[in-house]
Amino acid sequence: MLGGMYALIAMGLTLQYGVARIMNLSYGEFLVAAAFASYWLFTGWALSPLLGLTLVIPLSFGVSYALYRVLLTPLVRRARTRDALEVESILATFGMMFIVQGIMLAMFGGAYYSYSFLAIPVQLLGESLALNRLMAFGLAVVIGLALYLALTRTRIGTSIRAVAVDPAAAQLVAINVAQTSALAFALGGALVATAGVLISMFLTFSASSGVVFTMKALIIVVMGGVGNLLGCLVAGLLLGLSEALVATYVDPGLTLAVNFALFLTVLLIKPAGLFGRAQR
């Protein structure tokens, strides 16, 4: 279940970085912002997080689309190569990270927040699991499958994959690269908001905890192969399983070390990631 949530967290960054080539260092802050939105809707308006998704997802999609058009499009236009765009996007989103984090600190302070929603024990295969975790995992699986089918079975999905592989060649077959990149970035924002709402149902969070989610999302994206959704899913599951096994049978304090050890091992064996293709 932890691996499924990690995969859901990283799917949005896979689209933003793999397609639009925006290394979004403020990614985790938007996840935490969605968690706070769900917390506010649940505690202030008694609105279920599942119903809150119908408000948070469109809002996050619109905000991400506007950010790409207003803040990041000038960087895209002046960048001569995709590598230059990555460097400039790192600087831009690094500043955005502090802006979003500062707004959340001003509104909620530095305390940790949580709320109880469907924290009901359920017996599954001899183990006692919380219903909210099972529900979050089930939604993560459904969203992952829906996104995979959309990218592989629709014309828009084909366009997104074409831009991820080669934006110059995509223009030759009448694909609007700028519009497709903006759509992929906004879709990534909607996915990270979904992950934030689902995670808020069973995890504590604070205004400064976004960097942890950004770090793990980056590890999963690079380990699975930049822009590869299947690689993202597999890498997320591997990371979650390794964390759970080490925390259960060795020492919970070693989970971060295991993350980086697994990450470095994969890169030593396959520098382009599990499902990535080496560029010549």
Side-chain angles (χ1 to χ4, degrees):
M1 286 177 12
L2 183 63
M5 294 311 300
Y6 281 167
L8 178 62
I9 291 172
M11 276 192 289
L13 189 60
T14 297
L15 290 176
Q16 291 183 346
Y17 182 44
V19 180
R21 283 296 169 182
I22 301 297
M23 178 60 79
N24 188 5
L25 295 184
S26 63
Y27 187 79
E29 270 59 39
F30 284 97
L31 184 146
V32 175
F36 272 118
S38 180
Y39 170 84
W40 179 71
L41 290 172
F42 183 76
T43 58
W45 296 84
L47 187 64
S48 163
L50 301 180
L51 293 177
L53 284 172
T54 61
L55 298 175
V56 175
I57 292 176
L59 179 61
S60 182
F61 183 92
V63 169
S64 299
Y65 187 86
L67 283 174
Y68 185 88
R69 284 300 191 184
V70 175
L71 179 64
L72 300 175
T73 296
L75 300 181
V76 175
R77 289 175 177 171
R78 78 182 186 188
R80 296 184 177 181
T81 63
R82 302 190 86 183
D83 293 336
L85 175 59
E86 290 180 24
V87 174
E88 293 185 0
S89 66
I90 288 175
L91 298 175
T93 57
F94 187 65
M96 193 191 308
M97 176 185 72
F98 288 106
I99 293 173
V100 177
Q101 188 179 110
I103 293 173
M104 291 190 294
L105 284 171
M107 294 178 62
F108 300 99
Y112 280 87
Y113 289 80
S114 64
Y115 60 91
S116 179
F117 177 74
L118 294 181
I120 305 169
V122 176
Q123 294 296 322
L124 182 65
L125 300 178
E127 296 289 338
S128 181
L129 302 172
L131 180 59
N132 50 15
R133 291 176 179 263
L134 286 173
M135 185 174 295
F137 176 75
L139 287 174
V141 172
V142 171
I143 292 170
L145 290 175
L147 183 61
Y148 179 78
L149 292 175
L151 291 176
T152 56
R153 299 290 188 271
T154 65
R155 292 179 63 88
I156 295 177
T158 302
S159 300
I160 290 175
R161 290 187 292 118
V163 173
V165 173
D166 192 336
Q171 289 180 327
L172 300 178
V173 290
I175 294 176
N176 189 330
V177 173
Q179 183 67 29
T180 303
S181 298
L183 176 63
F185 189 87
L187 184 58
L191 286 171
V192 72
T194 304
V197 172
L198 295 179
I199 285 175
S200 69
M201 296 192 304
F202 56 86
L203 284 183
T204 58
F205 52 91
S206 70
S208 57
S209 59
V211 63
V212 177
F213 296 108
T214 301
M215 179 194 68
K216 291 190 176 182
L218 285 174
I219 289 176
I220 293 169
V221 169
V222 176
M223 190 167 69
V226 175
N228 192 296
L229 183 63
L230 181 59
C232 173
L233 296 173
V234 173
L237 290 173
L238 286 176
L239 204 67
L241 286 172
S242 63
E243 278 194 17
L245 289 173
V246 170
T248 303
Y249 298 107
V250 185
D251 186 353
L254 294 177
T255 55
L256 188 60
V258 170
N259 285 345
F260 284 104
L262 182 63
F263 176 61
L264 291 174
T265 301
V266 171
L267 290 187
L268 286 174
I269 298 173
K270 295 200 66 177
L274 293 173
F275 293 86
R277 294 182 180 180
Q279 297 182 353
R280 298 180 180 179

